[in-house]
């Protein structure tokens, strides 16, 4: 059995910050796991270095479930994004090791492929509806079958989801948080106009998605979901914050627009009521922030009972290690729905060489043993950590609002 001999945390910033855990064994095989928590990266690095790594040395690398339980139950302090991202990094690295030792791509160990590839959605955004739709057309020309549309809100200086760089969207854009101004009233007027124009211009064969980023009250969200109904969205994401899982009930009562939530979830308990009461259609928890492949398999199994499908988070702050793990996972589960995909920069791809490829609207993880992704430590060293924050959001009277 491969014994863990060393584990190291590597922090690098090839355009944005990433935290990676590398676990080495006495079997000549190592594994990598992503531990990136956007804007709070060093907290997870410390959690791993100071509190997790010492417990890993000498353990049997094949005992993935036991290690998960050891870190989750054993810590006494359960859940939370820092803890669960750290556990996820260990979990990914151990699955990588197990699959490398077996000489198989990870999806084979998870039960084998259920489909040809994982359908992904790209991000089209612009200051105006016209600019957004031009971007959407670029994605469709590249073969995307699904596109998320975000457009500037008339009367607001800056809007979430509208990026300066069209190819590489990056919201964590400053060494102290920048401030956005928000008006739900203005947004509720403009969002349906975007999708009316989109259907007219793009037709009905492309899946259209939209992210509301936790900014509405339940009744506002219900109104938007109802107003968007004629345009047949693939989903409306994060309509309301989900600390109150029952907030989704009024939205459901008013509309058949499919609902997705969960990119900030870190445990199966965050999903439980939403899934059991069929208040959502897609669960967006990821292998990174929700405790690794081990817990995501449980979340997906619970969701499958209720016909809820996965739609895992896949923004640029999740490294190519997470993307690889998500693709093996997505390929292997019966209730995969869609995978978010924001392209990484060339520098990021140099630091994290990987085997997954896009074609025809799908991503496929490749056939290399393990996760099929590595970290080039020499390249990583050339990009030292730089503090970076997500923006914050205020209403027009200056009060803090959800971001
Ligand atoms: O704001 O990943 O659906 N995707 C998103 C992302 C998130 C960032 C936060 O780290 O909402 O852009
Ligand atoms: Co989102």
């Amino acid at each position: 059995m491969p014994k863990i001999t060393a584990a190291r945390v590597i922090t690098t910033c090839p355009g944005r910050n990433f935290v990676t855990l590398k676990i080495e064994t006495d079997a000549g095989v190592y594994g990598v796991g992503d531990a990136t928590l956007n804007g709070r990266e060093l907290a997870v690095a410390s959690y791993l270095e100071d509190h997790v790594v010492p417990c890993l040395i000498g353990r049997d690398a094949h005992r993935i479930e036991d290690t998960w339980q050891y870190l989750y139950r054993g810590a006494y302090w359960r859940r939370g994004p820092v803890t669960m991202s750290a556990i996820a990094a260990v979990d990914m690295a151990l699955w990588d090791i197990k699959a490398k030792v077996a000489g198989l791509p990870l999806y084979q160990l998870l039960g084998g492929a259920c489909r040809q590839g994982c359908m992904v959605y790209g991000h089209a955004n612009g200051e105006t509806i016209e600019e957004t739709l031009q971007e959407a057309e670029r994605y469709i020309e590249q073969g995307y079958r699904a596109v998320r549309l975000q457009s500037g809100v008339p009367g607001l200086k800056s809007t979430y989801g509208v990026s300066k760089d069209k190819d590489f969207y990056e919201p964590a854009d400053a060494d102290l948080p920048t401030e956005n101004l928000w008006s739900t009233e203005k947004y509720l007027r403009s969002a349906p106009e975007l999708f009316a124009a989109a259907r007219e211009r793009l037709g009905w064969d492309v899946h259209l998605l939209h992210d509301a980023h936790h900014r509405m009250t339940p009744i506002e969200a219900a109104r938007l979901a109802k107003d968007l109904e004629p345009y047949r969205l693939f989903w409306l994401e994060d309509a309301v914050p989900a600390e109150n899982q029952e907030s989704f009930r009024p939205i459901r009562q008013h509309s058949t627009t499919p609902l997705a939530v969960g990119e900030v979830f870190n445990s199966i308990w965050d999903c439980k009521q939403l899934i059991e009461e069929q208040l959502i259609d897609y669960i967006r928890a990821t292998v990174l922030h929700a405790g690794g492949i081990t817990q995501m398999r449980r979340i997906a199994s619970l969701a499958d009972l209720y016909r809820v499908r996965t739609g895992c988070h896949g923004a640029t702050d999740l490294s190519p290690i997470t993307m690889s793990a998500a693709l093996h996972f997505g390929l292997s589960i019966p209730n995969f729905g869609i995978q978010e995909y924001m392209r990484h920069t060339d520098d990021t791809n140099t630091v994290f060489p990987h085997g997954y490829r896009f074609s025809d609207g799908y991503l496929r993880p490749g056939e290399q043993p393990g996760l099929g992704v590595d970290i080039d430590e020499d390249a990583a060293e050339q990009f030292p950590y730089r503090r970076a924050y997500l923006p914050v959001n205020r209403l027009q009277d200056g009060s803090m609002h959800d971001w």
Side-chain angles (χ1 to χ4, degrees), residues 19 23-24 62 77 85 88 153 160 198 228-229 232 308 329 343 354 356:
V19 177
I23 297 182
E24 289 165 15
H62 275 342
W77 311 106
S85 300
V153 175
Y160 156 79
L228 291 176
E229 224 170 62
R232 296 286 192 272
V308 172
F329 169 71
R343 287 178 309 269
H354 54 76
Y356 60 80

Side-chain angles (χ1 to χ4, degrees), residues 91-92 95 99 105-115 117-119 268 271 275 283-288 290-304 308-313 321-340 356 363-366 370-372:
D91 190 76
M92 280 184 234
W95 277 108
L106 175 63
Y107 73 85
Q108 294 291 9
L109 265 60
L110 302 177
C114 281
R115 57 188 52 76
C118 297
M119 181 170 69
I268 193 167
C271 318
I275 290 173
I283 183 73
R284 284 185 43 73
T286 65
V287 294
L288 165 52
I293 293 159
T294 295
Q295 186 173 237
M296 274 309 294
R297 292 176 88 193
R298 279 197 272 277
I299 292 174
S301 295
L302 175 66
D304 191 38
V308 172
R309 292 188 284 165
T310 62
C312 298
H313 190 202
I321 299 174
T322 289
M323 188 54 70
S324 299
L327 294 174
H328 287 280
F329 169 71
L331 208 59
S332 73
I333 55 166
N335 54 328
F336 170 84
I338 198 166
Q339 170 66 49
E340 182 179 23
Y356 60 80
L363 272 176
R364 296 175 180 84
L371 287 174

Side-chain angles (χ1 to χ4, degrees), residues 73-127:
R73 298 186 169 194
Y76 189 62
W77 311 106
R78 297 176 186 215
R79 305 161 58 180
V82 175
T83 296
M84 298 310 281
S85 300
I87 293 177
V90 175
D91 190 76
M92 280 184 234
L94 294 184
W95 277 108
D96 191 22
I97 290 167
K98 191 184 281 293
K100 281 176 178 164
V101 169
L104 292 169
L106 175 63
Y107 73 85
Q108 294 291 9
L109 265 60
L110 302 177
C114 281
R115 57 188 52 76
Q116 309 282 337
C118 297
M119 181 170 69
V120 296
Y121 68 92
H123 285 231
N125 60 79
E127 289 296 339

Side-chain angles (χ1 to χ4, degrees), residues 121 148 160 211 213 237-238 263 284 313 340:
Y121 68 92
R148 187 185 94 163
Y160 156 79
D211 189 352
H213 231 245
E237 174 187 341
D238 291 352
E263 69 182 41
R284 284 185 43 73
H313 190 202
E340 182 179 23

Side-chain angles (χ1 to χ4, degrees), residues 26-90:
D26 62 3
V29 170
Y30 63 85
V32 290
D34 184 13
T36 309
L37 184 61
N38 207 1
R40 297 292 186 270
E41 294 86 359
L42 299 185
V44 188
S46 159
Y47 191 103
L48 283 167
E49 270 167 359
D50 298 326
H51 304 294
V52 171
V53 166
C55 307
L56 294 177
I57 309 303
R59 291 182 71 87
D60 175 357
H62 275 342
R63 295 183 64 181
I64 298 177
E65 180 68 45
D66 182 67
T67 301
W68 197 96
Q69 299 290 339
Y70 185 89
L71 294 175
Y72 181 80
R73 298 186 169 194
Y76 189 62
W77 311 106
R78 297 176 186 215
R79 305 161 58 180
V82 175
T83 296
M84 298 310 281
S85 300
I87 293 177
V90 175

